[in-house]
Amino acid sequence: MSVTGWDDTESYESLRSGSDRELDDPVAPGPGGTGTAARPKRSASLLTRVIVMIVGCTLLVGMVSMAVSAILVGQQQREALVHRAELIGTLQAGALGQAVWEFDTRAVEEMFRGLMAQDPAVRSVRVWASSGRQGAPLASLERPADRAGFTTVERTVSITGADGQRSSVGLLRLDYSLQEADNATLTALAPMAGLVFFSLLAVIGMISILLNRLVLAPLARLTRSAGAIATGDYRIRLRNTRSDEIGQLTSAFNHMASTVHDYTMTLEQRVTERTEELRQSNEQLGVVNRQVMDSIQYASLLQAAILPDERAMARRLDEVFALWRPRDVVGGDFYIFRELGDGPDSDFLIGVADCSGHGVPGAFMTMMVNAVLDHVVSETPDGDPAAILGGLNRMVRAALARGRENPRFDNGLDIGLCLVRPRSGDLRFAGGRIGLHVVDPAAGTVAEIKGDPQSLGYRRSRIDHVFTVHTVPLAPGVSFYLTTDGFLDQAGGPRGFGFGNRRFDAMLLEQAGQPMADRKTAFARALANHQGDRPQRDDITLLGFAVTPASTTNPQSSQAMAVQ
């Protein structure tokens, strides 16, 4: 068998130097490498494992072969020994006839001694002077028992009479040891065992040499080459003139090394190009982001412009504060203040609205709703809050009618609106999903007047709905609060629950005797403590105010409005 296709004098080429390199040397430093690599924990080589497997298999085969040979040879030796024992028994029975017939015990014993002296395989010999084994034998002689088994031969002792007829005069029993057969088997198998052993050694040696030459040595070169590539030397190539599996593996390795080398050579350039592209993209995104943020910041100024004038609210109310916090820079919440006359005791509207959406979409909704609200208020001279909410519902639905074909487009608002009538000494409230909280510190109570369960402007909002009007008398010390759901639903606390109506009512009663500016600070602090690190989930608007009837109003008691 010839071995071809592998050049042991030159295992791989280096394109960098154009000369041969020794794969048996330690891994050389590659481009950007340090020349060191993590070495795996040493273990038995593949050749050692293969040799162990071959030795195990050949030993197993040899042992099975020797066992089968031992069985066959042993059987033959035993058959030959049994045949000899039968032949000796027949001859001995013929020789004992006269002595047994005459009961000549001495002669019989002499024959037995001669037999045992000539044949060491005889273990014991007995003879009875009758046709059976009844009674004690006429003569008996035996050797000490050995470890081997034995075979028994029985022959009839007979004598020929004067008339030529043979008659039985006794029975001979011969026990023949099989030790000789076992020894003969071992003697016969010894050369065979030696031959098998040396044959197996020769086979193991030949297989090991061929395996190392054809498989293991090429695999070792591939392993060392892969290690060199792992350290950064991507220019390694292996010579290959074989077309078998090892040759295919070598071709695949060379292709992989060439691909990795190509990628490595062009990677830096590609990274530089991509980095430059990303830098330019980031700059463009930064410009666009600044433009968008500038637009949103300007939009926040426009949205703030529609909020009520602080001085106008402070002139008409004893005390007032507004906590307004859009979730983003702009939002969908806003609060309302409209004077319906010029006199100091004229009626006025005050309320809060929560439009659908957040951020820019919500801000657009507030602008549109505020414009529609101005129109509806101008068409409702008496300022009836129920009529204003009904007109606002119809006009918002009409204004958003063009988007109704899109099932995802459905917008509207929740609102709470109060008509304050100082001369009449009462407040009229109507709401759509926003209630009015009335705090009376003298009675120690907090009452909530719920708005109707009807939003405005949505596809599901009933266009013919008539909102309910609630009348509340004005009294000194009584304060009123309107809030959107962003305050009550803000998640916080250890379990992430909302702020909740119960905590809100408790704070309203607790802060009832404080100035409105202090109340605003207390509510802002309580909300921040509850919220913690959690993000703001909705726009937040809280409006608190106090007003007394015209008959008891002191013009000097108004305080400045606090607006965040």
Side-chain angles (χ1 to χ4, degrees):
M1 179 178 182
S2 61
V3 180
T4 60
W6 191 270
D7 186 359
D8 288 326
T9 61
E10 184 179 345
S11 54
Y12 66 84
E13 292 181 289
S14 173
L15 298 181
R16 178 176 53 192
S17 60
S19 60
D20 298 342
R21 299 180 58 177
E22 293 294 334
L23 286 174
D24 294 332
D25 292 339
V27 176
T34 60
T36 60
R39 294 180 178 271
K41 183 179 179 180
R42 288 187 174 274
S43 59
S45 65
L46 181 59
L47 178 60
T48 303
R49 296 180 182 179
V50 172
I51 291 177
V52 171
M53 293 177 61
I54 294 174
V55 169
C57 293
T58 51
L59 286 178
L60 179 61
V61 172
M63 291 174 64
V64 172
S65 301
M66 291 300 298
V68 173
S69 300
I71 293 173
L72 296 177
V73 173
Q75 185 177 0
Q76 293 176 357
Q77 293 293 334
R78 290 191 179 206
E79 289 177 355
L81 189 63
V82 169
H83 180 71
R84 191 179 77 183
E86 291 176 349
L87 179 60
I88 291 175
T90 301
L91 294 176
Q92 192 67 26
L96 289 173
Q98 187 65 30
V100 172
W101 183 75
E102 295 176 353
F103 289 89
D104 189 353
T105 304
R106 177 176 294 180
V108 173
E109 290 179 352
E110 288 294 333
M111 291 183 183
F112 285 174
R113 290 189 185 94
L115 175 62
M116 297 183 72
Q118 293 178 1
D119 193 345
V122 177
R123 177 182 291 179
S124 65
V125 59
R126 296 178 181 87
V127 66
W128 285 266
S130 64
S131 59
R133 291 190 295 273
Q134 297 82 6
L138 177 63
S140 176
L141 193 63
E142 60 182 322
R143 285 193 179 98
D146 54 22
R147 295 181 179 178
F150 62 91
T151 184
T152 302
V153 177
E154 293 184 352
R155 290 291 184 269
T156 301
V157 180
S158 58
I159 189 173
T160 303
D163 56 358
Q165 296 292 327
R166 296 189 63 84
S167 58
S168 174
V169 295
L171 178 66
L172 174 66
R173 179 177 178 177
L174 186 65
D175 290 337
Y176 220 76
S177 175
L178 299 178
Q179 182 68 40
E180 182 179 337
D182 295 342
N183 294 337
T185 300
L186 293 176
T187 302
L189 289 178
M192 184 182 300
L195 180 61
V196 171
F197 176 75
F198 287 110
S199 299
L200 291 179
L201 287 180
V203 171
I204 292 172
M206 292 178 61
I207 293 177
S208 301
I209 293 173
L210 293 177
L211 182 65
N212 184 67
R213 175 72 174 176
L214 294 175
V215 178
L216 300 181
L219 288 180
R221 295 186 182 95
L222 283 170
T223 302
R224 289 192 293 270
S225 300
I229 288 180
T231 61
D233 189 356
Y234 305 119
R235 301 187 179 186
I236 290 177
R237 302 293 183 271
L238 294 173
R239 286 189 178 276
N240 180 33
T241 57
R242 298 171 59 169
S243 59
D244 55 8
E245 289 80 359
I246 296 295
Q248 296 173 5
L249 181 61
T250 304
S251 298
F253 174 84
N254 289 335
H255 178 70
M256 177 201 69
S258 176
T259 302
V260 172
H261 177 261
D262 179 63
Y263 286 167
T264 303
M265 295 298 293
T266 58
L267 180 60
E268 183 176 355
Q269 180 181 357
R270 294 177 182 176
V271 170
T272 303
E273 294 174 354
R274 296 293 173 84
T275 303
E276 179 62 22
E277 293 176 0
L278 289 176
R279 186 188 63 79
Q280 295 177 0
S281 299
N282 288 335
E283 288 182 355
Q284 294 174 0
L285 288 176
V287 172
V288 173
N289 183 63
R290 286 192 297 272
Q291 293 174 350
V292 171
M293 291 306 300
D294 290 344
S295 299
I296 294 177
Q297 291 291 345
Y298 192 77
S300 69
L301 298 177
L302 294 177
Q303 187 176 31
I306 71 171
L307 297 177
D309 181 68
E310 303 174 9
R311 292 169 297 181
M313 293 181 68
R315 285 195 303 267
R316 301 304 310 277
L317 295 164
D318 295 342
E319 291 186 290
V320 62
F321 78 84
L323 181 64
W324 182 67
R325 290 184 180 176
R327 190 191 71 173
D328 305 314
V329 179
V330 292
D333 283 8
F334 71 102
Y335 52 96
I336 303 162
F337 183 79
R338 302 286 191 279
E339 294 187 271
L340 302 180
D342 297 330
D345 297 329
S346 62
D347 299 345
F348 59 88
L349 295 169
I350 187 170
V352 297
D354 181 4
C355 300
S356 58
H358 310 286
V360 175
F364 273 106
M365 282 292 298
T366 63
M367 302 293 286
M368 185 269 292
V369 170
N370 184 68
V372 174
L373 180 62
D374 285 341
H375 176 75
V376 174
V377 170
S378 66
E379 295 293 328
T380 313
D382 59 353
D384 180 22
I388 292 174
L389 264 58
L392 184 63
N393 181 31
R394 291 187 293 273
M395 292 195 68
V396 170
R397 280 178 58 93
L400 300 177
R402 291 185 179 180
R404 299 301 183 190
E405 294 81 5
N406 187 347
R408 298 178 59 186
F409 182 85
D410 191 17
N411 295 280
L413 70 147
D414 299 336
I415 187 172
L417 186 63
C418 299
L419 171 63
V420 182
R421 304 190 299 180
R423 283 194 293 265
S424 300
D426 61 17
L427 176 150
R428 305 188 71 197
F429 168 75
R433 293 191 178 276
I434 290 182
L436 173 68
H437 292 77
V438 183
V439 181
D440 187 352
T445 60
V446 177
E448 180 184 1
I449 302 174
K450 295 184 177 296
D452 292 7
Q454 171 77 21
S455 296
L456 285 68
Y458 290 98
R459 184 184 293 110
R460 63 182 180 276
S461 300
R462 292 178 52 190
I463 197 170
D464 58 346
H465 180 77
V466 178
F467 288 87
T468 306
V469 176
H470 305 271
T471 303
V472 182
L474 301 177
V478 176
S479 54
F480 304 92
Y481 295 87
L482 293 164
T483 180
T484 60
D485 57 1
F487 193 106
L488 301 176
D489 294 343
Q490 175 58 49
R495 298 185 179 181
F497 293 159
F499 192 87
N501 287 282
R502 183 178 301 178
R503 185 183 287 109
F504 183 72
D505 291 345
M507 282 206 65
L508 290 179
L509 192 59
E510 178 183 352
Q511 300 294 325
Q514 303 297 324
M516 281 293 181
D518 295 341
R519 299 185 201 184
K520 173 187 174 182
T521 302
F523 273 100
R525 184 184 303 112
L527 180 63
N529 293 336
H530 174 75
Q531 179 178 347
D533 296 332
R534 299 179 184 272
Q536 182 175 333
R537 62 189 301 178
D538 198 356
D539 300 322
I540 294 175
T541 301
L542 173 61
L543 182 65
F545 62 93
V547 61
T548 55
S551 60
T552 60
T553 301
N554 182 1
Q556 301 300 325
S557 63
S558 297
Q559 298 184 10
M561 173 185 175
V563 180
Q564 180 174 342

